[in-house]
Amino acid sequence: MSAAVEETFGGAGRQPFALTAAGIWRNGLLAAGTWFLAAALTYGLPDVIVWGATDAFAAVMLAGAGVFLTLSVTVHRLGGLGRTLVHYGPWFVVLGLWLAAWEVLTAKLGWLPKPFFSPPQGLLHVYVTDWERLLICVAYTGRLWGLGFFSGILVGFAAGVALGWSKRFAYWGMPLLKLIGPVPASAWIPCTFFIFPTTFHASIFLVALASGIPVAILTAAGVGQVNRSFYDVARTLGADNRFLVLKVAIPASLPNVFVGLFMGLYYSFAVLVVAEMLGAKFGLGWYLQFNTAYSAYANVYAALIVMALICAGLVRLLFLVRDRLLGWQKGIL
Amino acid sequence: MSLAIAESPVSRSIALDVEAVSHRYELDGKELQVLDGVSLSIAPGEFVALLGPSGCGKSTLLRLAAGLETPTAGSVREDGRPITAPDPDRILVFQDATLFPWRTVRANVATGLEARGLLRAQAHRIDEVLRLVKLEGFAEFFPHQLSGGMAQRAALARALVNDPKLLLLDEPFGKLDSLTRLRMQNELLDLWKSAGFTALLVTHDVEEALLLADRVIVLSDRPASIVAEVRVDQPHPRRRDDATLVALRRSLLEKLGISHDV
């Protein structure tokens, strides 16, 4: 047993192909077991309070168990996708256990009570009944976030290059940036109401500010740190200032810029709730506030999970862009 | 190879005149004099080596000749015109290859052409130069994938593609292992002969100076001034155990303040 546990929890790194000789994916089998356990507990034990989609959740878990059971013998035929699945095998096993424990502690024992906690079927119920509204919220938030984030990083990047390149710009700009940087987004709300024609513009500004400031600071630092000899070399080769900025300073500071982009991405998500306080009719941030006000915490959790998944997806996307642009760094880092 | 295209070597090199140059740096509020009344004339196509203790100001002289700085006093002139700004006719090769790490070898070599807007017209020269420094198989490599010698060759190619009339070399082989260094010295000599540029090499390696240069100039400790000048008339290729060179080496070492027992 302990050997099996060791293989499940400590084995992913050392054994990328945790397949036995017979071609059975052991972790897939274990995941099927834990998911089936969750399904059985959900279906078999009575709920202390009535929740929405108990049977539906049991069905989902059962289906999951079936999928893992099938995968445990077929995963090695799936190539790259199969390798990824095998890599995350231990996670699937634990996920089943975690869902089972969550189910028991909330719906079956009531130790984590309503309305502060919700069993998994409560969240599932939200997705099943409120998916249309959630989808609209995702679209609204996507529009706000997209406009805010991209305008923010664009301005932040340009300001950062200017701050890092020009001493005069840095003299006036750096103290301002250091003052503005730590001001919380909500403190801007009174000003933004006055400055911007609509609350939507004000919201965009808040998201842009949150994402732009880390980009500006890190870009400025990156441009300032560029090895002086690179400039000397480029100048002796006939480079003008334009070339020095575009072809030397900017590429040399890109690793820093990406650190700023990652920070800006996280901050921009954190500020969404505040930004959607400003008279928004839809949006994930708005959805969170609205349902918090009504103590509909299941809806809050459901929306939080959607937000977290979107953020994680965007981070992954940004990693892909970075690896593509900074391939030359391999071996340096 | 085909670098000297239909042009005579003389027009492809320049004379460098350094006249009574003194130079000071400001460092933490203190003035640091690095050059003190240095005068020297280098004929077109000549290969001159500057020899001196480390930190004596040799590199500063190169930076002045490259036009990266202007001297505090005195003048530096190319073919009689004062040098005030960098120009691709005068190219500096550093001790570190200082290749741009985000550019492939080909893009690094192309930098000078690209900066001057000549890339389209002269792109073929990149392959020529890469062949010349034996890096034709490494054009798409990134600098971190190169060995020290290859990186320094790439840096040379990046300079040569601009057809420099004056090549300023700041201890270019200082960080290479001794075998690579010997090979690179010969390659540099071949390039100099075929391309015909004027070369000014800074080094603290007496043998390197004697093997390569027409003339070796010995500088004093900081602030640097010229303490000796030795003409080397031996034809190339030179052997390091040649009796004349051995004698010259001994006298140069003595001028650098190192006894003849070394």
Side-chain angles (χ1 to χ4, degrees):
Chain A
M1 179 63 199
S2 70
V5 168
E6 164 68 13
E7 198 165 301
T8 301
F9 296 97
R14 279 172 287 134
Q15 294 169 295
F17 294 95
L19 303 170
T20 62
I24 290 174
W25 176 32
R26 180 198 292 272
N27 284 332
L29 219 55
L30 281 172
T34 60
W35 284 56
F36 181 76
L37 176 73
L41 288 170
T42 308
Y43 191 73
L45 298 176
D47 287 355
V48 285
I49 320 166
V50 180
W51 289 94
T54 304
D55 291 348
F57 177 65
V60 167
M61 294 311 286
L62 194 63
V67 169
F68 285 120
L69 198 62
T70 319
L71 281 174
S72 66
V73 287
T74 57
V75 76
H76 55 279
R77 286 187 220 147
L78 296 177
L81 176 68
R83 269 190 289 279
T84 313
L85 285 173
V86 169
H87 175 78
Y88 287 107
W91 271 97
F92 296 132
V93 178
V94 172
L95 195 63
L97 284 176
W98 190 74
L99 286 168
W102 179 13
E103 174 68 31
V104 169
L105 287 176
T106 51
K108 306 305 178 191
L109 295 174
W111 290 356
L112 299 174
K114 213 174 179 178
F116 309 105
F117 295 94
S118 160
Q121 61 261 43
L123 269 62
L124 189 63
H125 181 69
V126 173
Y127 292 130
V128 171
T129 55
D130 213 14
W131 64 270
E132 260 176 295
R133 197 204 304 259
L134 268 171
L135 222 54
I136 293 172
C137 284
V138 168
Y140 269 79
T141 296
R143 182 178 62 151
L144 169 63
W145 179 82
L147 287 168
F149 181 74
F150 287 108
S151 60
I153 61 170
L154 225 63
V155 174
F157 177 69
V161 172
L163 288 166
W165 181 257
S166 145
K167 284 210 167 61
R168 178 168 306 202
F169 213 90
Y171 175 83
W172 293 104
M174 238 19 206
L176 284 179
L177 195 60
K178 282 177 186 155
L179 280 176
I180 292 173
V183 175
S186 47
W188 288 98
I189 291 177
C191 301
T192 54
F193 271 139
F194 180 75
I195 298 168
F196 292 98
T198 70
T199 50
F200 183 58
H201 286 92
S203 304
I204 292 176
F205 170 76
L206 290 184
V207 176
L209 201 66
S211 36
I213 281 178
V215 175
I217 291 176
L218 276 137
T219 306
V223 172
Q225 284 165 10
V226 176
N227 183 351
R228 299 281 126 190
S229 338
F230 286 148
Y231 295 135
D232 284 345
V233 169
R235 281 171 67 209
T236 61
L237 293 172
D240 54 9
N241 271 333
R242 191 184 143 81
F243 190 93
L244 291 182
V245 173
L246 294 180
K247 299 289 175 74
V248 181
I250 288 179
S253 62
L254 266 195
N256 271 41
V257 175
F258 269 94
V259 177
L261 285 174
F262 280 109
M263 289 169 65
L265 183 58
Y266 282 119
Y267 289 154
S268 69
F269 263 78
V271 86
L272 273 179
V273 180
V274 177
E276 285 177 341
M277 260 192 237
L278 310 180
K281 305 272 189 309
F282 280 106
L284 286 171
W286 166 85
Y287 191 90
L288 289 179
Q289 289 169 65
F290 181 86
N291 285 297
T292 310
Y294 285 90
S295 302
Y297 293 112
N299 296 61
V300 173
Y301 295 134
L304 276 176
I305 288 175
V306 171
M307 244 172 139
L309 287 178
I310 293 176
C311 189
L314 288 168
V315 167
R316 175 117 186 95
L317 208 64
L318 194 55
F319 265 113
L320 288 178
V321 175
R322 191 196 68 161
D323 290 346
R324 205 174 164 78
L325 282 177
L326 297 184
W328 54 268
Q329 271 196 315
K330 274 180 209 146
I332 296 177
L333 287 180
Chain B
M1 234 170 266
S2 55
L3 265 185
I5 320 156
E7 277 179 279
S8 70
V10 179
S11 71
R12 299 169 42 74
S13 57
I14 54 170
L16 182 74
D17 289 292
V18 177
E19 204 172 281
V21 162
S22 297
H23 198 65
R24 277 192 294 275
Y25 283 117
E26 190 121 344
L27 215 82
D28 299 330
K30 270 184 284 183
E31 291 237 315
L32 185 69
Q33 175 131 22
V34 284
L35 294 174
D36 184 22
V38 175
S39 294
L40 75 129
S41 286
I42 301 175
E46 198 180 7
F47 197 134
V48 173
L50 291 175
L51 198 59
S54 23
C56 79
K58 302 170 300 223
S59 304
T60 305
L61 201 54
L62 288 197
R63 290 180 66 83
L64 295 176
L68 287 168
E69 290 171 44
T70 46
T72 320
S75 70
V76 186
R77 295 192 303 271
E78 54 168 331
D79 289 341
R81 295 181 307 271
I83 292 172
T84 54
D87 187 291
D89 275 350
R90 295 172 262 114
I91 292 194
L92 189 49
V93 175
F94 295 86
Q95 180 174 18
D96 294 300
T98 39
L99 296 172
F100 302 118
W102 57 89
R103 290 179 158 237
T104 59
V105 168
R106 176 188 300 279
N108 261 289
V109 173
T111 308
L113 299 177
E114 192 183 330
R116 288 181 293 147
L118 301 174
L119 193 53
R120 200 177 283 265
Q122 301 195 13
H124 62 279
R125 293 193 35 86
I126 295 168
D127 289 308
E128 282 174 30
V129 174
L130 283 175
R131 224 172 298 131
L132 207 62
V133 298
K134 304 184 182 70
L135 281 179
E136 61 270 42
F138 296 91
E140 306 311 325
F141 278 51
F142 280 104
H144 72 81
Q145 296 166 304
L146 303 180
S147 68
M150 285 155 77
Q152 204 52 273
R153 280 207 200 96
L156 266 177
R158 184 172 63 178
L160 292 173
V161 77
N162 303 290
D163 261 334
K165 296 179 175 165
L166 172 63
L167 196 60
L168 302 157
L169 301 143
D170 192 354
E171 296 185 29
F173 312 135
K175 285 192 175 168
L176 303 181
D177 64 89
S178 49
L179 285 177
T180 312
R181 177 192 293 216
L182 294 181
R183 199 171 302 133
M184 295 285 293
Q185 286 167 348
N186 288 330
E187 286 174 16
L188 175 64
L189 211 52
D190 290 342
L191 290 171
W192 170 66
K193 279 185 204 153
S194 60
F197 47 78
T198 310
L200 182 55
L201 168 78
V202 156
T203 179
H204 51 229
D205 180 346
V206 178
E207 260 183 17
E208 182 170 277
L210 286 172
L211 278 176
L212 298 176
D214 297 324
R215 198 145 54 101
V216 180
I217 290 170
V218 182
L219 295 173
S220 71
D221 217 339
R222 200 178 53 229
S225 56
I226 295 175
V227 291
E229 202 177 314
V230 175
R231 185 160 282 285
V232 190
D233 290 323
Q234 246 54 22
H236 294 289
R238 295 175 186 162
R239 292 175 54 91
R240 53 196 63 226
D241 53 1
D242 181 289
T244 324
L245 290 190
V246 172
L248 279 174
R249 176 170 176 268
R250 185 169 304 154
S251 91
L252 282 175
L253 282 173
E254 273 166 15
K255 281 167 180 141
L256 284 165
I258 295 161
S259 80
H260 58 270
D261 309 329
V262 180

